[in-house]
Amino acid sequence: MPEVPRSRRSCLAVPGSNPRFLEKAKSLDADQVFLDLEDAVAPIAKPDARKNIVAALNEGGWGEKIRVVRVNDWTTEWTYRDVIEVVEGAGANLDCIMLPKVQTAEQVVTLDTLLTQIEKVNGLEVGRIGIEAQIENALGLVNVDAIATASPRVETIIFGPADFMASINMKSLVVGEQPPGYDVGDAYHYILMRILMAARAYDKQAIDGPYLQIKDLEGYHRVAGRSAALGFDGKWVLHPDQVAAANEVFSPAQSDYDHAENILDAYEHYTSAAGGALGAVMLGDEMIDEASRKMALVVSAKGRSAGMQRTDVWQAPSD
Ligand code: GLV
Ligand code: MG
């Protein structure tokens, strides 16, 4: 797992059965692509989709994007071949395997074991390929802590709202929107928070799933804004138009980024011997202390990994 978490504001879904979409995805500004072998690919198209994905990964042209392949879940008959074909064929050009519908820690351990064997036999660095665990049903959510800690390869915990809604019998077909009849808050709040707590407790990234009304960008902003406000790191995008929206919603505002960097600089100065070895200090009209520094670190890390630049730099007083 990389030491500095990689930016995953926008995670673009690309069906592995469509070579044109695979090519197009290379030119989009998403932080991550995931090339799908699961629900976006019909059962009879899966063998060819594996080949398309291997070819697309080996051709290159993905820039700095995180390259992920979503395999089928372990309750199907496809998973082992998905993993073996993709990792043997393109393991060096792949960052993570996404495992959907994870229900138990053992399912993650099984994938870890298979990856390790393939890496050893093919001369790949053991443990480099990460795992992204999609939580898509009640059992997966109940076991989310064990899933997050089942392997050091786990990098992200992802909410899969469509399958999740089906699994709990939620009375709605519109992913991301509130079920009619529930008028006392956000019906997804518990699920999002539960995933976020596991992610934060075990140092993983928390990723929100798809918003299917691809023409409704305002709706995308609204729903993405909720998970971003809670602390999620990014969200799926299903269409090129959603990419810029996700990058914007999951980046700090420029003024917040500048403010965070200034808090860090001011705090470092004032807590040093040269700055008076103070604990709680004033930055403009605001009192900052160690807790402010921790909050600023979060915003600063998100801004830095999104490549933001400072536009307003705090200067230590000259005497
Ligand atoms: C994604 O896989 C979902 O089920 O929402
Ligand atoms: Mg799903």
Side-chain angles (χ1 to χ4, degrees):
M1 207 166 102
E3 291 202 349
V4 179
R6 317 184 236 213
S7 185
R8 283 183 166 92
R9 297 165 304 172
S10 47
C11 306
L12 177 69
V14 191
S17 49
N18 191 322
R20 194 167 59 80
F21 284 3
L22 287 167
E23 192 53 37
K24 167 89 182 154
K26 295 180 184 174
S27 67
L28 299 177
D29 195 25
D31 289 342
Q32 165 173 318
V33 286
F34 78 87
L35 314 182
D36 197 13
L37 287 170
E38 203 221 14
D39 284 356
V41 178
I44 52 166
K46 290 187 196 282
D48 280 347
R50 291 179 188 131
K51 294 185 175 50
N52 297 339
I53 287 176
V54 167
L57 288 170
N58 289 338
E59 270 159 28
W62 297 97
E64 297 290 298
K65 293 180 187 52
I66 304 173
R67 300 150 303 174
V68 179
V69 174
R70 179 167 74 165
V71 297
N72 288 278
D73 83 271
W74 279 123
T75 66
T76 70
E77 70 269 36
W78 297 301
T79 324
Y80 80 102
R81 266 194 198 281
D82 290 345
V83 178
I84 291 169
E85 275 201 36
V86 166
V87 181
E88 286 202 337
N93 296 317
L94 170 72
D95 297 300
C96 296
I97 294 288
M98 185 186 298
L99 188 63
K101 303 182 179 68
V102 182
Q103 305 190 58
T104 62
E106 287 73 18
Q107 293 183 329
V108 173
V109 173
T110 305
L111 177 58
D112 181 319
T113 307
L114 182 55
L115 283 171
T116 300
Q117 292 196 353
I118 301 170
E119 286 165 340
K120 281 185 180 160
V121 170
N122 292 275
L124 299 166
E125 181 188 336
V126 173
R128 189 191 60 81
I129 296 175
I131 294 178
E132 303 205 341
Q134 243 194 309
I135 301 297
E136 307 200 73
N137 50 46
L139 188 57
L141 192 65
V142 166
N143 288 328
V144 67
D145 293 321
I147 288 168
T149 52
S151 156
R153 293 183 193 262
V154 175
E155 291 188 26
T156 68
I157 317 282
I158 306 167
F159 176 38
D163 276 300
F164 203 101
M165 287 161 73
S167 117
I168 63 169
N169 299 353
M170 191 181 266
K171 278 172 134 181
S172 170
L173 285 172
V174 188
V175 172
E177 299 296 349
Q178 302 303 315
Y182 191 75
D183 59 358
V184 288
D186 178 1
Y188 303 93
H189 182 75
Y190 169 73
I191 310 166
L192 290 171
M193 268 306 202
R194 187 67 194 83
I195 288 174
L196 185 61
M197 291 308 105
R200 291 294 166 263
Y202 305 113
D203 239 354
K204 313 295 178 188
Q205 288 184 319
I207 306 295
D208 194 6
Y211 184 71
L212 304 184
Q213 317 298 312
I214 55 175
K215 297 240 170 328
D216 182 1
L217 270 184
E218 195 271 323
Y220 186 91
H221 268 272
R222 185 165 30 80
V223 173
R226 287 185 201 137
S227 51
L230 291 178
F232 272 61
D233 299 287
K235 182 170 173 66
W236 283 15
V237 293
L238 304 181
H239 186 271
D241 290 346
Q242 294 180 335
V243 175
N247 288 347
E248 184 197 323
V249 173
F250 288 94
S251 296
Q254 183 67 46
S255 56
D256 289 342
Y257 175 65
D258 286 336
H259 187 50
E261 295 287 7
N262 285 343
I263 289 176
L264 296 178
D265 284 355
Y267 192 71
E268 187 181 338
H269 169 75
Y270 285 118
T271 52
S272 71
L278 304 171
V281 296
M282 293 304 285
L283 175 65
D285 292 341
E286 174 190 23
M287 184 171 232
I288 58 171
D289 65 3
E290 177 57 25
S292 323
R293 189 185 72 88
K294 290 205 177 78
M295 290 194 294
L297 273 176
V298 173
V299 176
S300 146
K302 284 198 176 182
R304 287 183 198 184
S305 65
M308 293 177 77
Q309 303 294 325
R310 297 173 73 169
T311 59
D312 164 31
V313 180
W314 179 81
Q315 301 289 346
S318 41
D319 60 281

